[in-house]
Amino acid sequence: MTRRPFQPTPSRRRALAAMGLALPLLTHPAQALSARETAEMQQLAPIDRMIQVCYLKLEDRIARETRYRQIDRVVMDAFSRGKIKDRTLKASGAAFRNKGNWFKLRFRCAVTPDRLHTESLEYEIVSAEPIARDEWERHRLFP
């Protein structure tokens, strides 16, 4: 089996560009960031950097390990507020979008002291059934 390099989705690239990060980040999860990518990531506040690193790793892992292959968004506090303590992010009411449908998710992500890489990531897809569209607005989800 050939492993394709991880490439952030177009919507993820737009989000990163809006935060001042024009380059695609984490071109491959197993590779270290280039000096330029590291410098751009370090422009983010530490908490924002940690969230982005966790989201990117989540998108990659879920796409590699499950049937959901077209993940383009993760939201950590769709159903309940996520918690950040030190270098760990816990979200029991998260959601991710795949092929235009949202799914419930919970995860725990710990990052390195520089907040540029994940140390550990555990996740659980809460339901294989998509979140009903009539619930999207209430949980700040979007098409």
Side-chain angles (χ1 to χ4, degrees):
M1 180 171 150
T2 304
R3 195 168 161 188
R4 295 180 318 167
F6 173 70
Q7 294 293 324
T9 62
S11 63
R12 175 65 64 202
R13 286 182 191 168
R14 284 190 297 275
L16 292 170
M19 290 186 277
L21 299 172
L23 292 177
L25 301 175
L26 299 176
T27 56
H28 193 284
Q31 292 179 341
L33 295 171
S34 72
R36 187 172 180 182
E37 290 168 331
T38 299
E40 289 187 355
M41 279 294 274
Q42 288 173 333
Q43 292 175 14
L44 293 175
I47 289 175
D48 293 333
R49 184 179 331 139
M50 181 171 107
I51 291 168
Q52 288 303 312
V53 166
C54 288
Y55 283 5
L56 289 168
K57 189 65 167 187
L58 260 170
E59 289 177 5
D60 176 55
R61 288 263 317 269
I62 293 170
R64 284 189 296 118
E65 298 171 2
T66 71
R67 64 185 178 98
Y68 305 102
R69 301 278 187 242
Q70 296 180 25
I71 299 164
D72 64 350
R73 186 71 72 175
V74 175
V75 177
M76 75 180 212
D77 51 7
F79 292 88
S80 62
R81 187 176 274 294
K83 295 179 174 82
I84 296 174
K85 183 176 181 186
D86 300 321
R87 295 181 292 121
T88 302
L89 189 156
K90 293 180 183 178
S92 59
F96 70 92
R97 187 173 62 189
N98 182 74
K99 294 183 181 178
N101 291 305
W102 287 94
F103 298 87
K104 291 181 183 178
L105 170 74
R106 68 175 57 106
F107 69 91
R108 180 185 176 281
C109 178
V111 297
T112 55
D114 61 7
R115 290 163 175 76
L116 292 172
H117 307 282
T118 57
E119 286 183 334
S120 66
L121 175 65
E122 302 160 7
Y123 70 90
E124 177 187 359
I125 297 170
V126 176
S127 174
E129 291 297 315
I131 298 165
R133 284 187 180 262
D134 61 358
E135 293 183 41
W136 287 14
E137 187 174 336
R138 180 177 43 203
H139 298 290
R140 298 176 308 278
L141 303 173
F142 45 87

